[in-house]
Each structure stands twice: as C-alpha cells, then as structure tokens.
C-alpha cells in the first residue's frame, strides 16, 4: 500500500490515484428499514502527509462542508453524533489501515441520503472526500417488471433484496403464485462495487386470465420480525379473445334495434361495426352499441363487429332480418284479348318473410298458391268465361296486399237458344238473342220479300236492346205481305248477328206460345180466389150486421181487407 514515485516518464503524467486524496465507497447502496447496512470504505491521502497523533475520520450526512454543520454520523475523536444516529453507528474499519467501513444499525427512512467521509490526519490535514455513497432505505423490495407483459409470452419477474447487513441475511418468497401455470423460481446473488443484492426470478407464461391478478414478493429476515412485501397487479396485454355480439335477430320494418358488441382484450380494442364495406360506428371501449332507427329492408343483412387492439384482430357477425308486410303486387295491366289466346299473367311482390301469392278471379280462387317472388298464372285458350277481374293477393304474417286488373275476352257472336218466333195475337213476334264481344249487332232478314230489317229501318216494329255482351233483337210482323196466317207455319225469318270477329245468319223456328196456356191457368186460380172472397165477404157482413148503420156494404174496402189478410 505504499505510493511509489514512478520514474517512467509516461506514467508520471498519470498521477497515481492511490497517492492522492481519494476514497472508494459504493456510489449507491440500499438497505431495508429496521435492518442494518455496512458502507464499505477505503481512503487514501497524499504520500507526503504523516498523520499526527493517529488517523481520525468523520462521516457526514447530506453534505460535505463542515462549515455548514452537516449531521455527524460518526466521529472517531468523540462520541458526539447527530441525534438520529445515536447508538446506531459503528466504524468497522481500521482507520490506520485506511479502512473507513461504516455500520449503521436500525435504519429508518430518515437515513436515506448521501454519506461523506472526512479524513482527519491531524493539524490542517483534514479533507472531506467529494465522492459519496448514497443510501436508499427501502420499506418494500423492488420488483423488476417488464414495461410490457404480453400474454402467451414467457415472462420473468425479478424481486430484489439488498444484502448489505452482515448480521442478517434476507430471504425472498413469491406470494400468490398458486394460480400460475408452472411457475419457476431461481435465486441469484449479485455483488457489485462492494454491495450485494439478493434476487429471485419468477418465470411463467401469463395468460389473458391472469390480467389484473395480484402477485407479491416477500423479503424477510429469518429469526426476526422483519418482513417486507410488495404487491403488483399484472397488466397482461392480449389480443381480442372474444367478440360477443347479439344472436341473429329479426325486426319489423320501421322499428328500432340495438346491436351490442363486447370485446375482451387488453388494452381495450377499437371496436367497429361493419355492414358490408361500410363502417357504421367505431369506438375504443370494451363495448359498443349500434343503434338502428326506423329500420328499412335495405338494412337487412350481415353485421360484423371487429375488435382490434394492436395485438390482434377478431370479428363476429350476426344476421339482421327486417320483416315487412307484402308490398302492393305488380301485375299486368288490364287487357282485351281474343278468345282462344293463351296468356301468362304475372304477379310479383316483395315481403319478409316471403309472402304467398294467390290468384283470384272475380273473388274465386284460381291456380295454385305459391311462395315464390313471382307467380305466373297461365290461361290456355281463354274462353269467354275467362273474362273478369283478376286479383293477385300477397300475404305474410305481417299483412296482405293485392292488385287487380281486368281481362276482357272478345269473341265472335253466338246465338242463344231462346231465339225463336212465336205466334201472338197481333201476328208473329220474333226474338233473336246473341252474345259476343264486342256486343253483336242484330238484323232480321225476310228472304221472301228480300228485306233486311235493322235499327235504321222504320217500316217494321223493330226493337233492339243490349245488356253487357248480350244483344236482343225483336220484330213483330202483322201485315199480310209478311205472310203471316194465324197458326200457319209459313214464317220465314232469318236473324243475322255480327261483330268484328264474325257474322252468322240462322232461320228462326216458329214455336207455339205457351203464354196462352199460362193465362188459362192463372185465370182459373183467380176465379177460385174470387169465389173464396165472396164467401168470406158474406160471412163478414153477417158478423158485422149490427154495427153497419147504413146497411151499405163497402165491397171495395172488404176486398182490400181480405187481400191484406190472405
Ligand atoms: C475493512 O474492514 C472491514 C471490517 O473489518 C473488512 O471486512 C474489510 O475487508 C476491510 N477492507 C479492506 C480493504 O481491508
Ligand atoms: C434461527 O434460529 C434457530 C434457533 O433459534 C437457528 O437454529 C437457526 O439457524 C437460525 N437461523 C438463522 C438464519 O439464523
Ligand atoms: C343485444 O344485446 C343487448 C345486451 O344483451 C340487448 O340489450 C339488446 O336488446 C340486444 N339486441 C337485440 C336485437 O337482441
Ligand atoms: C360498456 O362500456 C361502458 C363504458 O364504455 C361500461 O360502463 C359498461 O359497463 C360496459 N358494459 C358492459 C356490459 O361491459
Ligand atoms: C373474421 O373472422 C373469421 C374467423 O372467425 C376469419 O376467417 C375472417 O378472416 C375474419 N375476417 C376479417 C376481415 O378479419
Ligand atoms: C304480363 O306481364 C308480364 C311481365 O310484364 C309479361 O311478361 C307478360 O307477357 C304479360 N302478360 C300478358 C298476357 O300481357
Ligand atoms: C275492372 O272492372 C270493374 C268493373 O267490372 C271496375 O270496377 C274496375 O275498376 C276495373 N278494374 C280495372 C283495374 O280496370
Ligand atoms: C234482293 O235485293 C237486292 C238489293 O236490295 C238485290 O241485289 C238482290 O238481287 C235481291 N235478291 C233477290 C233474290 O231478289
Ligand atoms: C241497316 O240496313 C241498311 C240496308 O241494308 C244499311 O244501309 C244500314 O247501314 C243498316 N244500319 C245499321 C245500323 O246496321
């Protein structure tokens, strides 16, 4: 330990540190409260100085300037130390050996700070070394936690306990690790710059479920009551591990619906609701509710919720069905067609659920009921009976709607069997009835006289009438020239009927008129009634004889009265 005056020119430039005012103390040192600490210390002074009456030393707290009276931690010349160090400090080193190692017992938080050593070699040879040792007094152990803990990636947590108190050796335990999967613990002892640290490293692979769980490190000194604990809450980052959305659902058109999405992730995700390519809503939260008002059928479809927190993306979808009553069906326009045509009638609509389509003709069911969007009613070779109003009815559980149109079937005229000639009192009456669309025009033709009779002909008693598609023509023949003999069969009348689709001509048959027979029957019944009336009247008169002052029987009143009763 002697300073050598080295003669080598190169080395002379560099002052031998050991031959100057120098101190070696750990820059940082720590200790647990209530335990002790030993600050290792060696010092050096210029070789020219010879200590006078022994080597002495002082430890200061806080600052190195004696003129500012810093608290004295230890002083070798006297026992006088600052109040807070009384009975707590002891110099372990031998100052004559330039060993200034200091022990501080029963440390408290107030002892945290800088410690300076001052060498006192007698006379003016006193020097406070500017290098200091900074003591940290801990009431909890330190745990090294990585800045970011990611799920499913192996994690190391290290807990430290200072081991600078020779009388007591700390031990480290991990707390609340029962729930961890396969935790591994390894202890280590680090010495650095004359200070020692005991450490324990816990290794495990955290899972999302461990997020927010507590873990602890306990430092204690066996055979003492000194126990120090530090708890940490694990902040474990994990990608979205579940994206919860409502189950697929149905809503009525025009109503409102709330779609909920909840994402489990750490940190919270950017949650977004997508409909097709369109982002409807987003927020950084744990859940986001998409509210749709006055829902339309166009809003039916797949809604997907995405959760993205930078560690991963996840999505879940639902199907929103929008129900609505059938729309008014689209059908053909009203049409006029020719008998015998074949038609395909179309009816289409929208609705949800898919409506059934029913065809009605004049209120009667025709065709089959279908559940397709389009219903085609085929009419093969339409007959005049096909004429009418066609209605297509669309129905689902939410309502019904219908549309109608008319089909007009046109056809060549047809003679009806009521057409005939009959003998009447004034002569012969001929009736000709035909149907057709457009309604037929009727003419009579008398071949014997080569005469055509129609509306414009005023010579004959011609009457014509049209009701819908039925036309009735009637003539009465009286004149001799028309060759009508009572009861004679020689009636030769032709009826012609025509419209744009055809013309026909038939000879009308002469039939015996049944009206005469009817008149006889009606007359007989009438006679019986009159006889019955007379009998009733006589009985009535007898009954009321006393009341009638005039004695005149009002037969008209009686007749009315009797008719009213019968
Ligand atoms: C100083 O003294 C302490 C306590 O006696 C001792 O443990 C240490 O080894 C000494 N240091 C040196 C450098 O001799
Ligand atoms: C604690 O004390 C017991 C007996 O009192 C002793 O056997 C044991 O070695 C001590 N442990 C430590 C670490 O000093
Ligand atoms: C979706 O779920 C939320 C929360 O459970 C609920 O309030 C809401 O009514 C649900 N929406 C639908 C359409 O079911
Ligand atoms: C949804 O998020 C809000 C904050 O954004 C929160 O207050 C609420 O508790 C969450 N709801 C659920 C069911 O998690
Ligand atoms: C949505 O999630 C499914 C798996 O659930 C995945 O196959 C699909 O690629 C995801 N879509 C997007 C756009 O991330
Ligand atoms: C009815 O309408 C459909 C579609 O417009 C058309 O294809 C069809 O020919 C129409 N039917 C008739 C008889 O006009
Ligand atoms: C169909 O005819 C009826 C009368 O026969 C009429 O009341 C109705 O308005 C017509 N409908 C159409 C669509 O022309
Ligand atoms: C009937 O009269 C038309 C002219 O009105 C005439 O052309 C035709 O020859 C006549 N027929 C007969 C059979 O007389
Ligand atoms: C009636 O018959 C005459 C002669 O045949 C014809 O000129 C006239 O146009 C007819 N009138 C009608 C309304 O058919």
């Amino acid at each position: 330990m002697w300073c050598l005056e080295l003669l080598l020119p190169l080395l002379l430039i560099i002052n031998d540190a050991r031959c100057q005012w120098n101190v070696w103390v750990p820059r940082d040192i720590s200790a647990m409260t209530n335990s002790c600490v030993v600050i290792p210390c060696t010092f050096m002074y210029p070789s020219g100085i010879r200590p006078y009456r022994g080597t002495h030393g002082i430890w200061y707290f806080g600052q190195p300037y004696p003129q500012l009276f810093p608290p004295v931690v230890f002083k070798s010349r006297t026992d006088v130390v600052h109040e807070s160090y009384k009975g707590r400090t002891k110099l372990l080193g031998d100052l004559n050996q330039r060993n200034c190692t200091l022990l501080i017992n029963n440390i408290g938080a107030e002892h945290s700070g800088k410690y300076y050593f001052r060498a006192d070699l007698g006379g003016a040879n006193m020097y406070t070394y500017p290098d200091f040792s900074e003591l940290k007094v801990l009431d909890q152990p330190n745990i090294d936690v990585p800045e970011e803990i990611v799920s499913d990636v192996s994690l190391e947590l290290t807990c430290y306990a200072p081991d600078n108190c020779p009388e007591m050796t700390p031990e480290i335990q991990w707390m609340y690790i029962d729930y961890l999967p396969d935790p591994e613990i390894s202890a280590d002892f680090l010495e650095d710059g004359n200070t020692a640290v005991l450490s324990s490293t816990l290794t495990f692979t955290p899972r999302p479920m461990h997020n927010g769980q507590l873990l602890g490190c306990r430092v204690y000194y066996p055979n003492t009551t000194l126990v120090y604990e530090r708890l940490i809450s694990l902040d474990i980052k994990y990608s979205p591990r579940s994206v919860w959305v409502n189950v697929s659902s149905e809503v009525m058109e025009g109503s409102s619906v709330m779609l909920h999405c909840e994402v489990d992730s750490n940190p919270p995700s950017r949650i977004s609701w997508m409909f097709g390519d369109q982002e409807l809503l987003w927020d950084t939260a744990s859940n986001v509710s998409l509210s749709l008002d006055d829902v339309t059928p166009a809003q039916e479809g797949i809604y997907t919720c995405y959760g993205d927190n930078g560690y991963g993306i996840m999505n879940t979808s639902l199907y929103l069905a929008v129900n609505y009553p059938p729309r008014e069906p689209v059908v053909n326009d009203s049409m006029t067609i020719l008998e015998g045509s074949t038609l395909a009638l179309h009816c289409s609509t929208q609705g949800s659920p898919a409506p059934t389509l029913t065809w009605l003709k004049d209120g009667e069911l025709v065709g089959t009921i279908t559940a397709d969007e389009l219903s085609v009613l085929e009419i093969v070779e339409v007959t005049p009976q096909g004429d009418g109003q066609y209605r297509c009815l669309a129905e689902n559980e939410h309502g019904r709607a219908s549309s109608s149109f008319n089909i007009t079937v046109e056809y060549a005229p047809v003679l009806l069997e009521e057409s005939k000639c009959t003998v009447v009192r004034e002569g012969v009456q001929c009736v000709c009835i035909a149907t057709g669309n457009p309604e037929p025009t009727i003419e009579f033709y008398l071949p014997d006289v080569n005469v055509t009779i129609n509306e414009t002909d005023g010579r004959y008693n011609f009457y014509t009438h049209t009701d819908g598609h039925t036309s009735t023509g009637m003539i009465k023949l009286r004149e001799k020239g028309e060759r009508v003999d009572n009861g004679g069969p020689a009636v030769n009348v032709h009826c012609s009927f025509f419209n744009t689709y055809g013309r026909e001509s038939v000879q009308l048959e002469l039939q015996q008129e049944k009206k005469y027979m009817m008149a006889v029957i009606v007359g007989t019944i009438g006679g019986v009634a009159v006889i019955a009336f007379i009998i009733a009247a006589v009985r009535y008169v007898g009954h009321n004889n006393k009341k009638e002052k005039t004695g005149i029987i009002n037969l008209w009143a009686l007749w009315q009265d009797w008719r009213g009763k019968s």
Side-chain angles (χ1 to χ4, degrees):
M1 284 285 289
W2 304 114
C3 291
L4 302 171
E5 301 292 340
L6 292 172
L7 298 173
L8 288 172
L10 196 71
L11 289 174
L12 270 174
I13 299 165
I14 307 162
N15 282 327
D16 184 351
R18 293 188 295 167
C19 298
Q20 302 296 322
W21 293 106
N22 253 315
V23 73
W24 288 269
V25 286
R27 172 67 179 73
D28 293 296
I29 189 161
S30 49
M32 304 309 296
T33 47
N34 300 321
S35 73
C36 76
V37 67
V38 171
I39 303 175
C41 175
T42 52
F43 64 100
M44 194 52 64
Y45 48 84
S47 50
I49 295 174
R50 295 283 168 257
Y52 170 68
R53 285 196 195 168
T55 307
H56 285 275
I58 306 170
W59 278 96
Y60 286 134
F61 174 75
Q63 47 168 307
Y65 313 111
Q67 61 272 28
L68 296 177
F69 305 108
V72 174
V73 176
F74 172 82
K75 194 169 187 176
S76 61
R77 286 190 192 275
T78 69
D79 298 345
V80 181
V81 295
H82 186 264
E83 192 66 22
S84 67
Y85 293 99
K86 227 169 231 170
R88 294 180 199 243
T89 54
K90 191 179 166 192
L91 196 74
L92 298 184
D94 178 355
L95 291 176
N96 293 317
Q97 300 288 316
R98 299 180 187 120
N99 187 332
C100 46
T101 300
L102 175 74
L103 165 72
I104 311 173
N105 261 314
N106 197 14
I107 290 176
E110 69 274 18
H111 300 132
S112 284
K114 294 169 180 167
Y115 288 81
Y116 294 88
F117 181 66
R118 179 175 174 84
D120 174 3
L121 305 173
N125 291 323
M126 293 171 78
Y127 183 75
T128 307
Y129 297 94
D131 292 334
F132 57 86
S133 186
E134 183 158 16
L135 174 66
K136 282 201 183 80
V137 180
L138 310 173
D139 56 2
Q140 286 185 332
N142 279 325
I143 302 180
D144 242 12
V145 182
E147 220 163 84
E148 185 182 61
I149 302 177
V150 180
S151 166
D152 304 313
V153 174
S154 179
L155 170 67
E156 279 187 4
L157 299 177
T158 306
C159 180
Y160 298 95
D163 187 9
N164 299 311
C165 178
E167 296 156 27
M168 298 192 287
T169 302
E171 290 196 8
I172 301 179
Q173 275 182 348
W174 287 94
M175 302 155 69
Y176 314 125
I177 57 171
D178 300 348
Y179 59 81
L180 294 182
D182 310 321
E184 281 175 24
I185 295 170
S186 62
D188 200 3
F189 181 76
L190 293 165
E191 264 193 294
D192 178 32
N194 287 330
T195 67
V197 173
L198 190 66
S199 70
S200 174
T201 299
L202 171 67
T203 306
F204 67 100
T205 303
R207 306 290 180 205
M209 60 184 278
H210 302 132
N211 183 44
Q213 298 254 34
L214 286 181
L215 260 186
C217 174
R218 173 188 288 138
V219 168
Y220 65 100
Y221 294 97
N223 291 346
T224 71
T225 56
L226 301 180
V227 175
Y228 312 87
E229 288 178 355
R230 185 181 204 104
L231 294 181
I232 57 165
S233 165
L234 294 174
D235 179 20
I236 296 167
K237 310 296 185 199
Y238 56 94
S239 61
R241 64 170 172 154
S242 76
V243 174
W244 181 91
V245 298
N246 291 85
V247 292
S248 294
S249 54
E250 298 183 359
V251 285
M252 265 314 280
E253 171 184 37
S255 63
S256 300
V257 69
M258 183 86 103
L259 302 179
H260 199 70
C261 180
E262 218 175 300
V263 177
D264 179 2
S265 70
N266 184 30
S269 287
R270 178 189 188 276
I271 302 180
S272 67
W273 269 110
M274 299 281 292
F275 181 59
D277 294 339
Q278 201 187 346
E279 184 171 70
L280 302 177
L281 178 71
W282 74 268
D283 195 7
T284 300
S286 70
N287 64 77
V288 163
S289 289
L290 173 67
S291 131
L292 303 173
D293 292 326
D294 193 9
V295 172
T296 66
Q299 289 173 295
E300 170 159 335
I302 296 171
Y303 287 80
T304 304
C305 180
Y306 289 88
D308 181 354
N309 72 344
Y311 292 88
I313 307 181
M314 196 173 177
N315 70 81
T316 307
S317 298
L318 65 83
Y319 192 86
L320 183 69
V322 180
N323 289 338
Y324 59 100
R327 302 290 187 235
E328 190 175 288
V330 175
V331 294
N332 292 82
D333 293 331
S334 287
M335 63 184 86
T336 297
I337 42 106
L338 185 58
E339 171 184 25
S341 317
T342 290
L343 308 176
L345 305 177
H346 288 227
C347 172
S348 59
T349 189
Q350 280 95 45
S352 180
T356 58
L357 295 176
T358 306
W359 283 99
L360 301 169
K361 177 183 177 288
D362 297 325
E364 302 276 326
L365 185 68
V366 285
T368 52
I369 298 171
T370 59
D372 295 330
E373 259 195 11
L374 171 70
S375 173
V376 179
L377 178 65
E378 199 162 343
I379 302 178
V380 180
E381 290 180 13
V382 68
T383 62
Q385 285 70 46
D387 190 289
Q389 189 181 52
Y390 288 77
R391 180 174 292 279
C392 177
L393 175 65
E395 283 177 291
N396 69 11
E397 64 205 66
H398 304 293
R400 50 164 62 187
S402 73
S403 298
S404 68
F405 59 100
N406 290 337
I407 292 183
T408 305
V409 181
E410 299 202 325
Y411 52 99
V414 180
L415 187 73
L416 300 189
E417 31 177 76
E418 296 94 306
S419 303
K420 59 181 182 272
C421 291
T422 49
V423 176
V424 293
R425 212 180 310 155
E426 300 87 10
V428 169
Q429 178 178 283
C430 291
V431 176
C432 182
I433 309 172
T435 80
N437 192 6
E439 72 272 5
T441 302
I442 292 182
E443 289 176 352
F444 290 100
Y445 176 62
L446 306 179
D448 298 339
V449 289
N450 195 11
V451 167
T452 298
I453 305 161
N454 66 13
E455 283 173 277
T456 56
D457 202 325
R459 282 181 300 165
Y460 299 91
N461 199 345
F462 180 86
Y463 165 81
T464 184
H465 171 72
T466 296
D467 182 8
H469 298 158
T470 304
S471 297
T472 305
M474 193 166 74
I475 51 167
K476 275 186 181 166
L477 306 172
R478 266 168 283 171
E479 288 163 40
K480 283 222 165 73
E482 292 153 20
R483 296 201 178 187
V484 178
D485 332 333
N486 251 349
V491 174
N492 192 6
V493 176
H494 286 223
C495 173
S496 284
F497 44 92
F498 59 91
N499 66 11
T500 47
Y501 300 109
R503 166 185 279 274
E504 243 186 285
S505 198
V506 293
Q507 183 176 8
L508 296 177
E509 283 176 27
L510 182 69
Q511 282 189 356
Q512 199 65 45
E513 180 55 273
K514 287 176 184 127
K515 248 187 215 162
Y516 288 113
M517 290 293 286
M518 288 301 292
V520 171
I521 293 163
V522 170
T524 309
I525 294 167
V528 172
V530 169
I531 291 162
F533 167 70
I534 290 167
I535 293 168
V538 169
R539 289 176 64 185
Y540 181 82
V541 170
H543 210 245
N544 296 285
N545 233 356
K546 290 165 191 172
K547 293 174 188 170
E548 294 291 337
K549 290 180 181 167
T550 57
I552 299 163
I553 299 164
N554 189 338
L555 266 179
W556 176 245
L558 279 176
W559 168 250
Q560 294 296 325
D561 191 31
W562 183 81
R563 280 210 4 200
K565 279 178 189 165
S566 58

